[in-house]
Amino acid sequence: MESKNATVIGLQWGDEGKGKIVDALAGTSRYVVRYCGGANAGHTVTVGSERFALHLIPCGILHKDVMNVIANGVAFDPEVAVDEIKGLQDRGVHIGADNLSISSTAQVVMPWHKQQDLLSEQQLKDQKIGTTARGIGPCYSDKANRSTAVRVADLLDEKTLTQKIRFIATIKNRIFAALYEAEPMDIDAIVEQYTRLGRDLSPMVRNTGAMLRDAFDNAQRILFEGGQGSMLDVDHGTFPFVTSSSVSACGVPGGAGVPPKAVGHVVGILKAYTTRVGAGPFPTEQDNDTGEYIRRKGKEFGTTTGRPRRCGWLDTCVVKYTSDLSGVDELALMLLDVLSGLDEIKICKAYTYKGKTVKDFDPALMGQVECVYETLPGWSEDLTNCKRLEELPANARSYIARISELIDRPVGIVSVGPGRKQTIANQTQIEGLT
Ligand code: GDP
Ligand code: IMO
Ligand code: MG
């Protein structure tokens, strides 16, 4: 039997609108699973006049009868998690062991990871990556190093935790003093804080891999929620200006502990233009009035750090590459309403490198390519109340059709505003879009 599962991933450099689409699909899912990244993510869900910015908690949390899972591939920050849970509970959202599970094998972001992220970026000066300072890179580095890693299960055993923290923090204090002349961390305070955090979170800690494999065997619907965007993938993105985990659909099996065939229907999320936060190549960037127009109209400021996002035209070379990488079945085209009011809209349809057309997309060449643009006529109408494709202006429909053609995939969803109702389904193959 064909799996009913779905995977929602970002096809650009993040903030494509994954949160809105995960929320739309969560109502018909039994599990919503974060499999990569950590509190570097900022996923927005708008319900009526309320806006929720979720960082670690999956976007199924606003629906009843959904088990939200923070899987093994996540860099889990217990301090952020406890704050986020409390913030949501204060707004009337139910969160408990019956709707949130945290993998016992997820890596824990410790205070030294956040400190190292900051210190390392300061030291890199104009070479810096522009991270979110959430300790993501240092946490995954320690995962690969093994002996200096802490996992969620360690938080639950006071004796092991105390030993680990003393051992690791002593090493980190020496490194920070030598490299950055930093003051030593207060090890006793860390032991106390993390023992408490472990106690608070312990009812939700589970063997989430076994839980999800069981769900898959029993044909219960699982929705995998990507963090970041595929161009930030540690293997396939614009390295070194990437994040430190496998964020494409290729990261789902390893990051959630499920067989590859559990990935299901892959929905690729893209903006009608492109944004990027942090440093690194961005061929279609418009550091000019057009970029400013998009930033202002699209409210393009980071959900996690508040930084202004860099803005530019849609790059179909990027989106074709990331769609092929993840085997995207259909596209969700977001924030189309933001482009209203532009006389002309450009789409990057090819690159040249040293004067020759690039045939095979190579993320390593991104800083050196020239864009070949096609110009389409814009539209002036406000799209935010359109409910059906036919209600969109002809030029907006032509833009969608051209995107579909260049990326060689159907555009199953068009989004014209942050709200739940501002979503146009266009012969989508996604089951259960609500
Ligand atoms: P994510 O990280 O991929 O979940 O995306 P973010 O939440 O960081 O950024 C997307 C932003 O666009 C959020 O503020 C959303 O509320 C908003 N948004 C989503 N879809 C639309 C849309 O179709 N139109 C507009 N104007 N805003 C949207
Ligand atoms: P969502 O899930 C946009 C970017 C940072 C930086 C790079 C590395 O909301 O789409 P990191 O802190 O991960 O080491 O930073 O990755 N970045 C994101 N940009 N949206 C995100 O998440 C991001 N998560 C990380 O800005 O350039
Ligand atoms: Mg975001």
Short mmCIF file of all heavy atoms in Angstrom, two decimals, residues 131-174:
data_model
loop_
_atom_site.label_atom_id
_atom_site.label_comp_id
_atom_site.label_asym_id
_atom_site.label_seq_id
_atom_site.Cartn_x
_atom_site.Cartn_y
_atom_site.Cartn_z
N THR A 131 25.57 32.96 11.77
CA THR A 131 24.68 31.96 12.37
C THR A 131 23.61 32.62 13.24
O THR A 131 23.66 33.82 13.50
CB THR A 131 25.46 30.97 13.28
OG1 THR A 131 25.83 31.67 14.48
CG2 THR A 131 26.69 30.40 12.60
N THR A 132 22.69 31.80 13.70
CA THR A 132 21.63 32.29 14.59
C THR A 132 22.10 32.33 16.05
O THR A 132 21.32 32.68 16.93
CB THR A 132 20.40 31.37 14.51
OG1 THR A 132 20.81 30.05 14.88
CG2 THR A 132 19.80 31.33 13.12
N ALA A 133 23.34 31.94 16.30
CA ALA A 133 23.93 31.93 17.65
C ALA A 133 23.19 30.98 18.60
O ALA A 133 23.21 31.18 19.81
CB ALA A 133 23.98 33.35 18.24
N ARG A 134 22.56 29.95 18.05
CA ARG A 134 21.83 29.00 18.89
C ARG A 134 22.69 27.78 19.26
O ARG A 134 22.17 26.80 19.79
CB ARG A 134 20.55 28.53 18.19
CG ARG A 134 19.54 29.63 17.93
CD ARG A 134 19.02 30.21 19.25
NE ARG A 134 17.94 31.15 19.04
CZ ARG A 134 18.09 32.47 18.87
NH1 ARG A 134 19.30 33.01 18.88
NH2 ARG A 134 17.04 33.24 18.70
N GLY A 135 23.97 27.81 18.92
CA GLY A 135 24.86 26.71 19.31
C GLY A 135 24.75 25.48 18.43
O GLY A 135 25.20 24.39 18.80
N ILE A 136 24.15 25.65 17.25
CA ILE A 136 23.85 24.50 16.39
C ILE A 136 25.13 23.82 15.87
O ILE A 136 25.30 22.60 16.03
CB ILE A 136 22.95 24.95 15.20
CG1 ILE A 136 21.64 25.59 15.74
CG2 ILE A 136 22.69 23.82 14.24
CD1 ILE A 136 20.75 24.66 16.52
N GLY A 137 26.01 24.60 15.26
CA GLY A 137 27.24 24.02 14.69
C GLY A 137 28.08 23.31 15.77
O GLY A 137 28.45 22.14 15.60
N PRO A 138 28.36 23.99 16.89
CA PRO A 138 29.15 23.32 17.94
C PRO A 138 28.47 22.07 18.49
O PRO A 138 29.14 21.10 18.83
CB PRO A 138 29.28 24.42 19.01
CG PRO A 138 29.21 25.71 18.23
CD PRO A 138 28.24 25.44 17.13
N CYS A 139 27.15 22.05 18.57
CA CYS A 139 26.45 20.87 19.08
C CYS A 139 26.63 19.68 18.13
O CYS A 139 26.97 18.57 18.56
CB CYS A 139 24.97 21.18 19.29
SG CYS A 139 24.02 19.75 19.85
N TYR A 140 26.41 19.91 16.83
CA TYR A 140 26.60 18.80 15.88
C TYR A 140 28.07 18.40 15.77
O TYR A 140 28.38 17.25 15.47
CB TYR A 140 26.03 19.17 14.50
CG TYR A 140 24.51 19.12 14.43
CD1 TYR A 140 23.76 20.27 14.16
CD2 TYR A 140 23.82 17.92 14.60
CE1 TYR A 140 22.37 20.23 14.06
CE2 TYR A 140 22.43 17.86 14.52
CZ TYR A 140 21.71 19.02 14.25
OH TYR A 140 20.34 18.96 14.15
N SER A 141 29.00 19.35 16.00
CA SER A 141 30.43 18.98 16.00
C SER A 141 30.70 17.99 17.12
O SER A 141 31.42 17.01 16.94
CB SER A 141 31.33 20.20 16.24
OG SER A 141 31.10 21.17 15.29
N ASP A 142 30.11 18.26 18.28
CA ASP A 142 30.31 17.34 19.41
C ASP A 142 29.63 16.00 19.18
O ASP A 142 30.10 14.96 19.65
CB ASP A 142 29.84 17.98 20.73
CG ASP A 142 30.92 18.88 21.33
OD1 ASP A 142 32.12 18.63 21.05
OD2 ASP A 142 30.58 19.82 22.08
N LYS A 143 28.54 16.00 18.44
CA LYS A 143 27.89 14.72 18.10
C LYS A 143 28.89 13.87 17.30
O LYS A 143 29.10 12.69 17.60
CB LYS A 143 26.64 15.00 17.26
CG LYS A 143 25.97 13.76 16.68
CD LYS A 143 24.78 14.18 15.81
CE LYS A 143 24.04 12.99 15.22
NZ LYS A 143 22.88 13.37 14.44
N ALA A 144 29.52 14.51 16.30
CA ALA A 144 30.49 13.75 15.49
C ALA A 144 31.71 13.36 16.32
O ALA A 144 32.30 12.31 16.11
CB ALA A 144 30.90 14.60 14.29
N ASN A 145 32.05 14.19 17.29
CA ASN A 145 33.21 13.89 18.15
C ASN A 145 32.91 12.80 19.19
O ASN A 145 33.82 12.16 19.71
CB ASN A 145 33.63 15.19 18.87
CG ASN A 145 34.97 15.06 19.52
OD1 ASN A 145 35.90 14.53 18.91
ND2 ASN A 145 35.09 15.49 20.77
N ARG A 146 31.67 12.64 19.52
CA ARG A 146 31.14 11.60 20.43
C ARG A 146 31.50 11.78 21.90
O ARG A 146 30.63 11.89 22.74
CB ARG A 146 31.52 10.19 19.94
CG ARG A 146 30.86 9.85 18.62
CD ARG A 146 31.64 8.86 17.85
NE ARG A 146 32.95 9.37 17.50
CZ ARG A 146 33.94 8.67 16.98
NH1 ARG A 146 33.79 7.38 16.77
NH2 ARG A 146 35.08 9.23 16.67
N SER A 147 32.79 11.84 22.24
CA SER A 147 33.15 11.83 23.67
C SER A 147 32.75 13.12 24.38
O SER A 147 32.68 13.15 25.61
CB SER A 147 34.64 11.58 23.83
OG SER A 147 35.35 12.58 23.13
N THR A 148 32.48 14.19 23.63
CA THR A 148 32.09 15.46 24.26
C THR A 148 30.61 15.79 24.02
O THR A 148 30.21 16.95 24.13
CB THR A 148 32.99 16.61 23.75
OG1 THR A 148 33.08 16.51 22.33
CG2 THR A 148 34.38 16.55 24.37
N ALA A 149 29.83 14.77 23.69
CA ALA A 149 28.41 14.99 23.40
C ALA A 149 27.54 14.64 24.61
O ALA A 149 27.88 13.77 25.41
CB ALA A 149 27.99 14.15 22.20
N VAL A 150 26.39 15.32 24.69
CA VAL A 150 25.38 14.99 25.71
C VAL A 150 24.09 14.68 24.95
O VAL A 150 23.72 15.45 24.05
CB VAL A 150 25.14 16.18 26.67
CG1 VAL A 150 24.04 15.85 27.67
CG2 VAL A 150 26.43 16.57 27.39
N ARG A 151 23.44 13.57 25.30
CA ARG A 151 22.17 13.25 24.65
C ARG A 151 21.03 13.40 25.66
O ARG A 151 21.26 13.44 26.87
CB ARG A 151 22.19 11.85 24.06
CG ARG A 151 23.32 11.67 23.06
CD ARG A 151 23.01 10.65 22.01
NE ARG A 151 22.89 9.30 22.50
CZ ARG A 151 22.66 8.25 21.71
NH1 ARG A 151 22.53 8.42 20.40
NH2 ARG A 151 22.57 7.04 22.20
N VAL A 152 19.81 13.45 25.14
CA VAL A 152 18.66 13.71 26.02
C VAL A 152 18.58 12.67 27.14
O VAL A 152 18.30 13.02 28.30
CB VAL A 152 17.34 13.76 25.19
CG1 VAL A 152 16.12 13.72 26.08
CG2 VAL A 152 17.32 15.02 24.32
N ALA A 153 18.86 11.41 26.84
CA ALA A 153 18.79 10.36 27.87
C ALA A 153 19.73 10.70 29.04
O ALA A 153 19.42 10.37 30.20
CB ALA A 153 19.16 9.01 27.28
N ASP A 154 20.86 11.35 28.75
CA ASP A 154 21.81 11.70 29.82
C ASP A 154 21.21 12.69 30.83
O ASP A 154 21.62 12.73 31.99
CB ASP A 154 23.08 12.33 29.22
CG ASP A 154 23.81 11.38 28.27
OD1 ASP A 154 23.78 10.17 28.51
OD2 ASP A 154 24.39 11.88 27.28
N LEU A 155 20.26 13.50 30.34
CA LEU A 155 19.65 14.50 31.24
C LEU A 155 18.83 13.84 32.34
O LEU A 155 18.54 14.44 33.37
CB LEU A 155 18.71 15.44 30.46
CG LEU A 155 19.32 16.35 29.39
CD1 LEU A 155 18.20 17.13 28.70
CD2 LEU A 155 20.31 17.33 30.00
N LEU A 156 18.42 12.58 32.09
CA LEU A 156 17.50 11.93 33.02
C LEU A 156 18.22 11.19 34.14
O LEU A 156 17.58 10.74 35.10
CB LEU A 156 16.60 10.93 32.26
CG LEU A 156 15.85 11.48 31.05
CD1 LEU A 156 14.84 10.46 30.55
CD2 LEU A 156 15.16 12.79 31.36
N ASP A 157 19.53 11.03 34.02
CA ASP A 157 20.28 10.28 35.01
C ASP A 157 21.27 11.24 35.68
O ASP A 157 22.30 11.61 35.10
CB ASP A 157 21.00 9.12 34.28
CG ASP A 157 21.87 8.31 35.22
OD1 ASP A 157 22.11 8.77 36.36
OD2 ASP A 157 22.31 7.23 34.81
N GLU A 158 20.93 11.64 36.90
CA GLU A 158 21.67 12.73 37.56
C GLU A 158 23.16 12.43 37.69
O GLU A 158 24.01 13.31 37.48
CB GLU A 158 21.04 12.98 38.94
CG GLU A 158 21.37 14.35 39.46
CD GLU A 158 20.61 14.70 40.73
OE1 GLU A 158 19.48 14.21 40.92
OE2 GLU A 158 21.18 15.46 41.53
N LYS A 159 23.46 11.16 38.00
CA LYS A 159 24.87 10.81 38.21
C LYS A 159 25.67 10.91 36.89
O LYS A 159 26.72 11.56 36.83
CB LYS A 159 24.94 9.38 38.77
CG LYS A 159 26.29 9.05 39.34
CD LYS A 159 26.23 7.79 40.20
CE LYS A 159 27.62 7.19 40.25
NZ LYS A 159 27.63 5.77 40.05
N THR A 160 25.12 10.30 35.84
CA THR A 160 25.79 10.37 34.53
C THR A 160 25.92 11.82 34.08
O THR A 160 26.98 12.23 33.58
CB THR A 160 24.95 9.62 33.46
OG1 THR A 160 24.60 8.36 33.98
CG2 THR A 160 25.67 9.48 32.16
N LEU A 161 24.84 12.57 34.25
CA LEU A 161 24.85 13.96 33.78
C LEU A 161 25.92 14.77 34.50
O LEU A 161 26.68 15.51 33.87
CB LEU A 161 23.46 14.58 33.99
CG LEU A 161 23.33 16.02 33.46
CD1 LEU A 161 23.44 16.03 31.94
CD2 LEU A 161 22.01 16.65 33.88
N THR A 162 26.00 14.60 35.81
CA THR A 162 26.98 15.36 36.58
C THR A 162 28.40 15.01 36.11
O THR A 162 29.21 15.91 35.87
CB THR A 162 26.83 15.03 38.10
OG1 THR A 162 25.47 15.25 38.45
CG2 THR A 162 27.72 15.89 38.96
N GLN A 163 28.65 13.73 35.94
CA GLN A 163 29.99 13.31 35.48
C GLN A 163 30.29 13.89 34.10
O GLN A 163 31.38 14.42 33.86
CB GLN A 163 30.04 11.78 35.36
CG GLN A 163 30.34 11.11 36.69
CD GLN A 163 30.16 9.58 36.56
OE1 GLN A 163 29.78 9.05 35.53
NE2 GLN A 163 30.44 8.89 37.65
N LYS A 164 29.34 13.79 33.20
CA LYS A 164 29.55 14.28 31.83
C LYS A 164 29.81 15.77 31.82
O LYS A 164 30.72 16.26 31.16
CB LYS A 164 28.32 13.98 30.96
CG LYS A 164 28.27 12.57 30.49
CD LYS A 164 27.59 12.46 29.13
CE LYS A 164 27.84 11.05 28.64
NZ LYS A 164 27.71 10.83 27.25
N ILE A 165 28.95 16.51 32.53
CA ILE A 165 29.10 17.97 32.52
C ILE A 165 30.47 18.35 33.09
O ILE A 165 31.17 19.20 32.54
CB ILE A 165 27.94 18.66 33.28
CG1 ILE A 165 26.64 18.50 32.47
CG2 ILE A 165 28.23 20.14 33.51
CD1 ILE A 165 25.41 19.11 33.10
N ARG A 166 30.88 17.73 34.20
CA ARG A 166 32.18 18.08 34.80
C ARG A 166 33.31 17.81 33.81
O ARG A 166 34.20 18.63 33.62
CB ARG A 166 32.42 17.29 36.10
CG ARG A 166 31.50 17.72 37.21
CD ARG A 166 32.04 17.39 38.60
NE ARG A 166 31.01 17.74 39.57
CZ ARG A 166 30.65 18.98 39.88
NH1 ARG A 166 31.27 20.00 39.33
NH2 ARG A 166 29.68 19.21 40.75
N PHE A 167 33.26 16.64 33.18
CA PHE A 167 34.31 16.25 32.24
C PHE A 167 34.35 17.22 31.04
O PHE A 167 35.40 17.77 30.69
CB PHE A 167 34.05 14.81 31.78
CG PHE A 167 34.91 14.35 30.65
CD1 PHE A 167 36.26 14.07 30.85
CD2 PHE A 167 34.38 14.20 29.36
CE1 PHE A 167 37.07 13.65 29.79
CE2 PHE A 167 35.18 13.77 28.31
CZ PHE A 167 36.52 13.50 28.52
N ILE A 168 33.18 17.43 30.41
CA ILE A 168 33.16 18.23 29.18
C ILE A 168 33.42 19.71 29.46
O ILE A 168 34.20 20.35 28.76
CB ILE A 168 31.82 18.05 28.41
CG1 ILE A 168 31.58 16.57 28.09
CG2 ILE A 168 31.81 18.87 27.14
CD1 ILE A 168 30.16 16.24 27.63
N ALA A 169 32.78 20.24 30.51
CA ALA A 169 32.92 21.67 30.78
C ALA A 169 34.37 22.02 31.14
O ALA A 169 34.85 23.12 30.82
CB ALA A 169 31.97 22.10 31.89
N THR A 170 35.07 21.10 31.78
CA THR A 170 36.47 21.36 32.11
C THR A 170 37.30 21.50 30.82
O THR A 170 38.12 22.41 30.69
CB THR A 170 37.03 20.20 32.99
OG1 THR A 170 36.17 20.05 34.10
CG2 THR A 170 38.44 20.48 33.46
N ILE A 171 37.02 20.61 29.87
CA ILE A 171 37.73 20.70 28.57
C ILE A 171 37.38 22.02 27.87
O ILE A 171 38.24 22.74 27.38
CB ILE A 171 37.33 19.51 27.65
CG1 ILE A 171 37.77 18.19 28.28
CG2 ILE A 171 37.90 19.68 26.25
CD1 ILE A 171 37.27 16.95 27.52
N LYS A 172 36.08 22.34 27.84
CA LYS A 172 35.64 23.54 27.12
C LYS A 172 36.22 24.80 27.77
O LYS A 172 36.63 25.72 27.07
CB LYS A 172 34.10 23.64 27.10
CG LYS A 172 33.41 22.47 26.43
CD LYS A 172 33.54 22.47 24.92
CE LYS A 172 32.84 21.28 24.31
NZ LYS A 172 33.06 21.13 22.87
N ASN A 173 36.25 24.83 29.11
CA ASN A 173 36.82 26.00 29.78
C ASN A 173 38.27 26.22 29.35
O ASN A 173 38.70 27.36 29.11
CB ASN A 173 36.74 25.84 31.30
CG ASN A 173 35.41 26.36 31.85
OD1 ASN A 173 34.70 27.13 31.18
ND2 ASN A 173 35.05 25.94 33.06
N ARG A 174 39.02 25.13 29.24
CA ARG A 174 40.43 25.25 28.81
C ARG A 174 40.52 25.77 27.38
O ARG A 174 41.33 26.62 27.06
CB ARG A 174 41.12 23.89 28.88
CG ARG A 174 41.43 23.49 30.29
CD ARG A 174 42.51 22.43 30.28
NE ARG A 174 42.47 21.71 31.53
CZ ARG A 174 42.78 20.44 31.70
NH1 ARG A 174 43.18 19.73 30.67
NH2 ARG A 174 42.72 19.89 32.86
#
